Amino acid sequence: MPVQARSKTAKIDSSKYHGLSRRDLLRIYRTMYLSRRIDDREIQLKRQNKTFFQISGAGHEGVLTAAGLVLRPGHDWVYPYYRDRALCLALGVTSLEMFLQAVGAKDDPSSGGRQMPSHWGIPRLNILPRSSSTGMQYTQAVGMAEATQYFEIYPRALEEARHAPLGEHVRHKPDEIVYVSGGDGSTSEGEFFEGLNSACLRKLPILFMIEDNGWAISVPVDFQTAGGNIAKLVANYPGLFLEECDGTDPLASYAVVKRAAEYCRMRKGPALVHARVTRPYSHSLSDDEKLYKTDALRQEEAHRDPIPKFGLFLVREGIVDEKELEAIEAEVDGEVRESSDRALAAEPPAKESILVNQYSPDVDPVSSHFESAPQFSGEPRTMVEMISATLADEMARDERIVVLGEDVADCCNEEDLEFVKGKGGVFKATIGLQRRFGYGRVFNTPIAEACIVGSALGMAARGLKPVAEIQFFDYIWPAMMQLRNELSLFRWRSNGAFKSPAVIRVATGGYLTGGAIYHSQSGEVLFTHTPGIRVVMPSTALDLCGMLRTAIRCDDPVLFLEHKHLYRQPYNRSPYPGPNYTVPFGRARVVREGNDVSIITYGAVVHRAEVAAAHLEREGVSVEIIDLRSLSPFDWEAIAATVRKTNRVIVAHEDMLSWGYGAEIAALISDKLFDELDAPVRRVAAMDTFCAYQPTLEDEILPQTSDLVTAIRELLAY
């Protein structure tokens, strides 16, 4: 609170304050003070055990309130981080909405009680929902800005997005920008540099706000960032507007943020504002800064507190007197009391709501809507040929569809297309798509898997239908955080206010003769264990066509696993089934009828099971084979039917045996169908090691036809 009074206010010269009026200046003070008082009230409620977590925006209010004056609510796209309380208030989030987050109320507009407070997400204001994962927001903002560029070039896509589920939240303005923020610690994450690189490569209209309070919890910036200044590290990024400011001074911050935003609006490229702020409170109420900050340092930081500094400035400038400031503060204190009291009386979420909005309530890929009969034409095609054919038909039907990934385009330099055959992916799965639809819809990305998935999420959140490719399953791990914590959770954590129906195509599996450790991995169980994402793995060209089309037309994120050993096999080819052929998820395929024993399998093991069954048929053994095709959801009814029919079951898959996908299927059969079994459930899978390069070792490690034959004989002899 300011301590110096002025007898009366005077009419101000707004040119002294970067064009801001007296009303604007008082609004700045009120917003900053309101932000701090909400923090203080939340801290009080947490200590009274009436709320469950608190993380403050204290010390960041100056630059954030200034940014709130520059950004346009419901016009620009805003991806704030958990310190951005003042920004959200300036954009129109109410104090009541913030307290509803703090108590985890049913009517919490950001998550319905599913996320911690200060994890914003307000559709009406174009504020995207954040997670707690540090630095993940930058690549997602890249995708959001790519959507901005895309809608400017392909207006039909915008109309199609508006007619899709949640289309009421799809917006595009010609001069919109994307704002994304993070603390100084978040710039140590790889996604920050991946996102910044992509933004500069594509000249995206993104404003990166780095709020540097000097600390990443207890680690000071000098131990976090080489040289202690992120602006110096990124100063040579081409086309990047870069400026630093004192983030505790809202007027200086306003001038800098305004210049940065204008640079982005003029489509010159991205901008980065490095704001020096302070953190007068601990990282959160789970932290105690006295354990690592000296008293002298804490006192020094207190002198930089933006709220008393700005209040004193307003009084000294004669813009307001102390009594008027006290009246503003009293009004804010009353609002905070009223809002917090209303939130404390709010209804909590119902227990029955736990699974609501885990998947789309509007489009069910398991439903009969996706049942269709093939209309065959042409010569039989391989699986890999079926990918490009299916994508081509879907892209012609729906302008929202974008294909991205490493090497997916025919040629980056389109002027060279008349001289080259074109790449179209390392397996030629996307060959010819760029020639037909242009580089704007089929484009190459840097080798940055986290950015590929993160930007696909951002595009999908804006209403596009990205089909992203990860070249090899073995290299999906840099994107694991984006897949596990971000893409799969986007709808659920926002309680259905936002969605991210991206399709992630991945070449997976071994049996390559020389693929070795880093080109032969499986691991689908890690994703079937992730709620919110669909996981499918077709084993035939016909199923691939139908399931890829379902993946694109459904409204959930899909991990689409394509076994590369099956890409060009002659035994799984099919004529093209037509541009509307779809296969429902969660429906297994009966590959072969039998009576003596059942093999439940998927992927490349399906054909090995067929060979084993044909071999044993000569011995009078009748083997039934079930190809799951869809791993999450999976077809329990088909599993139960085959168990009841043969009473002996083998679950076979290519991934490692221990703690694998087959273990869950086997456990379910034992739990629910124990009385139907005449023998224990057997599993046939890979050894608990990675695939070796030498072919004889690969054959030993991966499950073979002979392993299935042996298991069947042992099971029948039980």
Side-chain angles (χ1 to χ4, degrees), residues 616-635:
L616 288 167
E617 186 177 36
R618 294 192 289 270
E619 301 175 12
V621 177
S622 176
V623 179
E624 181 153 293
I625 301 172
I626 304 297
D627 178 5
L628 289 177
R629 305 189 292 185
S630 175
L631 307 183
S632 179
F634 69 95
D635 191 342

Side-chain angles (χ1 to χ4, degrees), residues 361-628:
D362 304 300
V363 182
D364 181 7
V366 182
S367 72
S368 58
H369 174 76
F370 287 94
E371 291 178 355
S372 65
Q375 304 292 323
F376 291 117
S377 64
E379 295 296 317
R381 305 190 192 198
T382 62
M383 281 182 68
V384 75
E385 291 170 332
M386 201 67 87
I387 295 168
S388 57
T390 306
L391 286 173
D393 273 349
E394 287 301 287
M395 294 179 74
R397 179 189 64 86
D398 188 345
E399 199 169 72
R400 296 177 301 156
I401 299 172
V402 184
V403 174
L404 67 149
E406 301 162 17
D407 300 301
V408 298
D410 292 311
C411 181
C412 287
N413 296 312
E414 291 198 276
E415 61 272 18
D416 293 339
L417 281 175
E418 61 178 305
F419 307 111
V420 297
K421 290 183 178 180
K423 183 71 174 175
V426 295
F427 297 103
K428 307 297 183 186
T430 53
I431 189 75
L433 294 179
Q434 178 197 357
R435 290 183 187 271
R436 180 171 174 183
F437 298 103
Y439 198 75
R441 297 188 66 191
V442 184
F443 61 88
N444 291 330
T445 66
I447 301 176
E449 288 80 7
C451 193
I452 292 171
V453 176
S455 60
L457 187 160
M459 291 180 193
R462 291 288 309 275
L464 297 180
K465 292 289 291 190
V467 180
E469 179 182 297
I470 301 294
Q471 276 187 356
F472 291 92
F473 188 90
D474 318 65
Y475 305 130
I476 202 170
W477 312 118
M480 190 64 180
M481 183 78 89
Q482 292 289 349
L483 287 161
R484 170 78 181 186
N485 275 3
E486 305 294 321
L487 184 69
S488 61
L489 270 166
F490 205 67
R491 184 189 296 270
W492 189 83
R493 78 181 190 220
S494 68
N495 198 24
F498 293 91
K499 63 177 182 176
S500 54
V503 179
I504 312 298
R505 293 181 43 251
V506 190
T508 188
Y511 298 109
L512 299 178
T513 310
I517 302 167
Y518 299 109
H519 295 83
S520 305
Q521 291 182 27
S522 299
E524 56 274 4
V525 69
L526 298 175
F527 297 97
T528 58
H529 189 66
T530 301
I533 191 167
R534 312 284 191 177
V535 183
V536 297
M537 188 191 294
S539 63
T540 69
L542 181 61
D543 281 348
L544 183 143
C545 176
M547 300 185 85
L548 180 55
R549 188 170 282 109
T550 299
I552 292 170
R553 295 187 183 185
C554 86
D555 208 34
D556 297 313
V558 179
L559 186 67
F560 197 86
L561 300 175
E562 303 161 6
H563 202 294
K564 49 190 176 287
H565 173 72
L566 301 177
Y567 268 157
R568 291 179 172 84
Q569 296 295 343
Y571 54 74
N572 64 5
R573 295 185 301 170
S574 169
Y576 191 62
N580 290 304
Y581 180 66
T582 53
V583 172
F585 292 171
R587 308 282 186 92
R589 177 175 66 97
V590 179
V591 178
R592 180 187 178 109
E593 298 272 2
N595 298 304
D596 296 328
V597 63
S598 300
I599 300 177
I600 300 167
T601 187
Y602 56 90
V605 182
V606 172
H607 182 65
R608 283 153 181 75
E610 290 183 272
V611 175
H615 178 82
L616 288 167
E617 186 177 36
R618 294 192 289 270
E619 301 175 12
V621 177
S622 176
V623 179
E624 181 153 293
I625 301 172
I626 304 297
D627 178 5
L628 289 177

